Amino acid sequence: MSVLALPASALASLGRATFNALAAIGRIAIYAALTLWHIVRPPFYRREFFTALMQVGWLSLPVVGLTAIFTGGALALQIYAGGQRFSAEAVVPQIVAIGMVRELGPVLVGLMIAARVTSSIAAEIATMKVTEQIDALTTLSTNPMKYLTVPRVLAGFLTVPLLVGVGDIIGIMGGFLVSTEQLGFNRASYIKNTVDFLQTPDVVSSLIKGAVFGFIATLIGCYYGMNSGRGAQGVGSATKNAVATASILILAANFVLTSVMFGS
Amino acid sequence: MIELSRVAKSFGKNHVLRGVNLTIPRGQSMVVIGGSGTGKSVLLKSILGLVTPDSGRITLDGADVREANRDAFLARFGMLFQGGALFDSLRVWENVAFRLMRGATKLPKDQARAIAIEKLRRVGLKPETADLFPGELSGGMQKRVGLARAIAAEPEIIFFDEPTTGLDPIMSGVINALIREIVTEMGATAMTITHDMSSVRAIADRVAMLHDGLIRWTGPVADMDQADDPYLQQFIHGRADGPIESVR
Ligand SMILES: Nc1ncnc2c1ncn2[C@@H]1O[C@H](COP(=O)(O)OP(=O)(O)OP(=O)(O)O)[C@@H](O)[C@H]1O
Ligand SMILES: [Mg+2]
């Protein structure tokens, strides 16, 4: 079926959807610019920032660790099985390391943060909006952008790279455990192969991705919360849209970053 | 003095305010009455800039509120929201002392806490309430914490959106007396929304009735009973039949 055969109404709604998506991206970009503008101007709410550090960083550790260890283990099994087909099963340590550090670590941590942190930020701020707490902040001469958005976004930007670093290490450890316990790799040489193979740019790219994903995840949560509709339904759709948008933007940003940093 | 002239605000097809003219003299207590959903809360929020009017002009002491320095402007106001709007992640006393602990005139923590406890006492809440979270309070208690927060920094202009709704008659009396006292003793300007006619008589210097997006009647509270506006009379006597439709 050619595109011309599509009914006009379907085309129109496709056009409208595209237009709406572009408009949303524009509004999010403006919101991001505003956030950056406020980050560098006082006052800075330290207590809110430390709470956000706990929420975004520390309390996400279990989820990140579990995700990474299972993924690292599965990755080792797949590479071993795949490598066997052309007698290249010895490359498991190298490929696990590069796969975890360059791609899977940042992406999985980013998505877990979108699920855990973006949703809770969006729901919390949307509830505050719906119950007029945001209006109350304003009347108490406190800028909601500075009080709510800046601490969370800054915490995301600073802690998610650390989470990604932890995720990378635990992921490699997952691969190591499976390889040495189940696939018969030698421990010392597995570690040596991993360490020799990984280069500084691999690690740096991983952390840069983490910072960008942390920024996206927290910013999108705040944006949808602040722009929530009215009532319980408003909170529900703000949360849903925040998680969906954050996940897609993280994956898109990952592609762009990978192309920029590794695409020759 | 706050002056509104021809202030209009619509939400989509819902024309809530359609050209409100109203003057709130300095140091007086203005009470706004009107049916549910007529836009009383929207009116207060328009003055504070929380809702942007579609047209019209709002001035404070002659200066357009949109051109005012936001921080300096808002520092002169206190506001009790209809739903309380307490910050549920903060303790009661931190809610009350919120403004005291921030900004240029920041007070040390223990001093702010002492003031918060004193304000809580004035709205009839025990000092033990101070360390609870808003979620642990009853609706009427939350309302009173909101009231304490609105008056904590002793602002010169205070807006109360239904201060006695959900309170028992005795507590309503306490709150009415408190609002009256804040106006007469501290010289504050107050604008109160209420549905309770005994509150109107206890609090008001002047009364304004909002109906159908316009100020239907305004004047001193003493003239209210003699006024011959049928809408006002129906409202203050709570009659089911009259010019105001019962389905709105
Ligand atoms: N943010 C908003 N978006 C859309 N409509 C709104 C908004 N705020 C208020 N409205 C509408 O404006 C109208 C007036 O609302 P408002 O809250 O001012 O009423 P009210 O006079 O305070 O009523 P009540 O006495 O019940 O509190 C209502 O029809 C309401 O649905
Ligand atoms: Mg109201």
Side-chain angles (χ1 to χ4, degrees):
Chain A
M1 191 178 76
S2 82
V3 176
L4 291 174
L6 278 173
S9 68
L11 267 184
S13 71
L14 191 70
R16 208 173 310 121
T18 313
F19 178 80
N20 287 342
L22 288 177
I25 291 173
R27 282 192 299 270
I28 291 170
I30 292 171
Y31 192 81
L34 254 176
T35 305
L36 294 176
W37 194 89
H38 279 292
I39 282 182
V40 293
R41 279 169 185 78
F44 181 72
Y45 294 102
R46 233 178 309 152
R47 191 176 132 178
E48 275 59 42
F49 176 62
F50 287 121
T51 314
L53 282 183
M54 287 298 284
Q55 279 296 333
V56 178
W58 184 246
L59 297 177
S60 298
L61 272 175
V63 170
V64 164
L66 288 170
T67 312
I69 197 153
F70 289 127
T71 308
L75 191 61
L77 289 176
Q78 290 286 19
I79 294 166
Y80 186 79
Q84 240 175 357
R85 294 187 194 164
F86 35 93
S87 329
E89 59 268 35
V91 296
V92 169
Q94 288 90 335
I95 306 294
V96 165
I98 209 156
M100 265 333 278
V101 171
R102 283 190 180 190
E103 287 296 325
L104 285 175
V107 168
L108 288 176
V109 171
L111 291 179
M112 290 321 271
I113 293 295
R116 212 193 89 88
V117 175
T118 307
S119 61
S120 86
I121 290 179
E124 184 184 1
I125 295 185
T127 305
M128 292 185 74
K129 163 103 181 190
V130 167
T131 56
E132 298 181 317
Q133 292 178 51
I134 308 275
D135 283 346
L137 271 181
T138 307
T139 60
L140 292 165
S141 309
T142 301
N143 187 322
M145 219 43 201
K146 283 195 165 64
Y147 186 78
L148 297 173
T149 304
V150 165
R152 288 170 172 77
V153 171
L154 207 56
F157 182 75
L158 295 175
T159 55
V160 176
L162 300 181
L163 288 173
V164 167
V166 171
D168 290 348
I169 293 169
I170 294 180
I172 290 173
M173 235 165 63
F176 169 82
L177 287 177
V178 168
S179 304
T180 53
E181 298 300 318
Q182 206 176 322
L183 306 174
F185 279 79
N186 174 280
R187 291 184 184 190
S189 66
Y190 189 104
I191 293 173
K192 186 175 180 320
N193 281 337
T194 302
V195 173
D196 286 350
F197 190 72
L198 272 184
Q199 292 171 343
T200 316
D202 298 328
V203 177
V204 171
S205 79
S206 194
L207 301 183
I208 289 176
K209 282 182 174 182
V212 173
F213 299 167
F215 183 82
I216 292 175
T218 45
L219 183 90
I220 297 296
C222 294
Y223 172 81
Y224 278 96
M226 289 282 198
N227 291 291
S228 159
R230 309 181 86 195
Q233 210 175 7
V235 177
S237 58
T239 310
K240 176 193 74 188
N241 290 335
V243 175
T245 308
S247 307
I248 292 169
L249 283 181
I250 284 172
L251 293 172
N254 180 59
F255 175 72
V256 172
L257 288 172
T258 297
S259 330
V260 169
M261 293 189 292
F262 299 108
S264 46
Chain B
M1 189 169 76
I2 303 169
E3 267 186 297
L4 293 90
S5 72
R6 298 194 307 281
V7 172
K9 176 70 189 175
S10 306
F11 295 101
K13 286 202 191 76
N14 183 4
H15 303 288
V16 179
L17 304 178
R18 305 192 308 161
V20 170
N21 294 304
L22 186 64
T23 302
I24 301 116
R26 176 188 282 266
Q28 290 215 6
S29 170
M30 166 69 84
V31 170
V32 180
I33 57 175
S36 190
T38 48
K40 304 179 298 296
S41 299
V42 170
L43 185 69
L44 286 195
K45 288 184 188 170
S46 305
I47 300 174
L48 288 170
L50 299 174
V51 164
T52 317
D54 301 328
S55 62
R57 200 172 131 86
I58 303 173
T59 58
L60 173 63
D61 298 335
D64 195 315
V65 297
R66 277 169 307 182
E67 284 149 26
N69 172 311
R70 284 294 280 166
D71 281 346
F73 173 78
L74 288 168
R76 300 174 66 180
F77 284 88
M79 164 96 183
L80 163 65
F81 286 84
Q82 188 169 356
L86 300 178
F87 305 127
D88 34 33
S89 59
L90 300 180
R91 292 179 191 281
V92 164
W93 79 267
E94 292 170 316
N95 265 281
V96 176
F98 194 89
R99 191 195 276 282
L100 303 174
M101 292 195 297
R102 287 170 181 79
T105 53
K106 190 169 158 180
L107 295 179
K109 193 172 160 182
D110 45 346
Q111 213 172 324
R113 186 184 154 93
I115 294 177
I117 288 176
E118 160 62 15
K119 300 292 173 190
L120 287 172
R121 194 191 55 73
R122 295 197 62 182
V123 297
L125 290 169
K126 298 199 193 86
E128 295 91 273
T129 335
D131 288 310
L132 300 177
F133 284 97
E136 299 171 303
L137 304 180
S138 75
M141 290 164 91
Q142 292 184 11
K143 198 66 175 254
R144 286 183 282 151
V145 174
L147 194 87
R149 184 174 71 182
I151 63 172
E154 309 193 345
E156 37 173 317
I157 307 157
I158 318 181
F159 291 169
F160 302 101
D161 197 343
E162 305 198 5
T164 58
T165 307
L167 301 187
D168 65 66
I170 299 171
M171 210 32 89
S172 297
V174 170
I175 298 304
N176 289 338
L178 173 67
I179 293 176
R180 193 63 239 172
E181 189 185 317
I182 287 169
V183 173
T184 42
E185 285 171 24
M186 288 158 49
T189 307
M191 190 160 166
T192 309
I193 294 172
T194 183
H195 290 296
D196 175 1
M197 291 315 294
S198 64
S199 286
V200 177
R201 291 174 211 283
I203 298 173
D205 291 316
R206 298 180 66 83
V207 177
M209 178 174 172
L210 187 65
H211 178 74
D212 215 10
L214 297 169
I215 299 294
R216 181 78 216 179
W217 183 86
T218 181
V221 64
D223 297 353
M224 186 173 71
D225 292 308
Q226 285 79 46
D228 53 9
D229 187 293
Y231 290 81
L232 179 70
Q233 289 308 324
Q234 184 191 351
F235 193 87
I236 62 181
H237 293 109
R239 288 197 278 265
D241 49 324
I244 305 177
E245 291 164 39
S246 49
V247 179
R248 275 168 275 142

